[in-house]
Amino acid sequence: MEFKIGDCSICGVFVVLVLCSTLVSGGDIVHQDDTAPSRPGCSNNFVLVKVPIWVDGIEVTEFVGVGARFGPTLESKEKRANQTRLAFADPPDCCSTPRNKLTGEAILVHRGNCSFTTKANVAEDAGASAILIINNQTELFKMVCEKNEADLDIGIPAVMLPQHAGTSLINFLGNSSSVSVQLYSPKRPMVDIAEVFLWLMAVATILCASYWSAWRAREAAIEQDKLLKDGSNECNGTEVSRSGVVLEINIVSAVLFVVVASCFLIMLYKLMSSWFIDVLVVLFSIGGFEGLQTCLVALLSCFRWFERFGQSFIKIPFLGPVSYLMLAISPFCIAFAVLWAVYRHISFAWIGQDILGIALIITVLQIVQIPNLKVGTVLLSCSLLYDLFWVFLSKPLFHKSVMIVVARGDKSGEDGIPMLLKIPRLYDPWKGYSIIGFGDIILPGLLVAFSLRYDWLCNKRLREGYFLWAMIAYGLGLLTTYVALNLMDGHGQPALLYIVPFTLGTFLTLGKQRGDLKHLWTRGEPDRPCPHVQLQPDD
């Protein structure tokens, strides 16, 4: 069976695919900021705050603000949060005693002219039950205490609102007789069902890719054995044709990959904008189209009804021989990729992104392979260092975690770059997505697929081989990553920090115990010598 695939196109976006090897949850609730001043009376964590709005008794909208370092902590349950009438401060900056009389209302004030704690103390003394401060910019701002401030015994909560929220509230107050608000900061559940599905998705993708890769390697080995039994003396040529359908990584390319990926990641970080996201969307759509096309052709070719169409070819200018089956499937794949690109902002577009992403990952794991454990060790070790540096160690140099900024698509107006698998968080009051970078699947997937190819070529049973244990190790490594993600209050985690020690450590340990390590390290497949062929006299 022959598969016509866009090897060059998919390998061209390989570096882009594995850039983001980090797990990020959808929007942090709690921000523990060590750079912001903290002292007794001013030591709260910065928490996101839900602010639902009622106009004349009808809930019309909801805004999100951020709590201050000072003041009491907010209620986490919506049903326990009080609904409080809202009043606009007079003067608007609330730097002096308000002229309007307050009897427990929440007061809306503008930022500026005095410190945040001064505004809160003035509002509390005037009888307000809470203070909402409107930022003078579109984004949120962390409210801290200034160095020389002494009066930090503040008894009302303070929340910063973005500029657009303040404008809306002022309009509501001007056009209505009654505006009420609620302030609460719900906690994110420790485990969301989305993480379970994402774990299953990643494991199943590697499982499918590994079996497909091993099946192709076994078919090639059977074909080679058949040629040998027929007395062919062109054994070396057969080896070349086998390796021609894949791109084998060597040690130099494994190290070079980290350098190139780092340069590309910096470019993404510096150029991150809406137009650059559009470029990535186009690249992803092209790769997703070819990946989906390859997977569908391979799947349908397994059925007797489509087998004849998969083996019949037609020559097309610039493309060469193309099977009738691929020709029939291509319009559907193109339409699917284009529709996703055009409607990627709608609520259920993540389904199309995951389908294209999974197909692309499986296809890449057929084209790109590691020839032995030595190359796999170098690649995963370098990738682990790459992951650690750009998630954690890049903060002092760039003031932010470069990997997390790129993965989330900050400064682009998008929910993140498309080179991610994502599932909406189902039971999270803050919504958002649980995501996993393609690199967290492709890089360890190369090692897992190699283990199954080795097992099949060596005719090893499941328990005696390496694939079963490599799959278990990957699943445990990814599970450990989610545990760490939840323990770190949803902050992004480098998944390879946990996955690589599990997978690579398991492989090396088993190979050492079983005495296969030297063979795995150098060849990665059983010896297949070319037998001496006796020639007949008339030859």
Side-chain angles (χ1 to χ4, degrees), residues 473-484:
Y474 176 77
L476 290 176
L478 188 57
L479 181 63
T480 304
T481 309
Y482 281 115
V483 172

Side-chain angles (χ1 to χ4, degrees), residues 506-519:
T506 299
F507 217 131
L508 291 172
T509 302
L510 283 177
K512 181 69 175 177
Q513 290 178 348
R514 296 173 176 178
D516 297 334
L517 186 57
K518 184 177 180 180
H519 201 262

Side-chain angles (χ1 to χ4, degrees), residues 422-487:
K422 57 194 292 188
I423 295 180
R425 299 177 66 88
L426 302 178
Y427 298 105
D428 191 335
W430 295 98
K431 302 304 179 184
Y433 293 89
S434 289
I435 66 176
I436 181 172
F438 283 1
D440 300 328
I441 303 175
I442 291 177
L443 292 171
L446 292 172
L447 184 65
V448 177
F450 163 75
S451 69
L452 187 59
R453 289 196 303 272
Y454 180 83
D455 288 354
W456 280 19
L457 292 176
C458 293
N459 295 319
K460 288 183 176 290
R461 295 181 179 179
L462 190 61
R463 290 187 180 182
E464 297 172 351
Y466 294 91
F467 172 70
L468 173 64
W469 309 111
M471 276 302 311
I472 292 174
Y474 176 77
L476 290 176
L478 188 57
L479 181 63
T480 304
T481 309
Y482 281 115
V483 172
L485 183 71
N486 289 314
L487 291 178

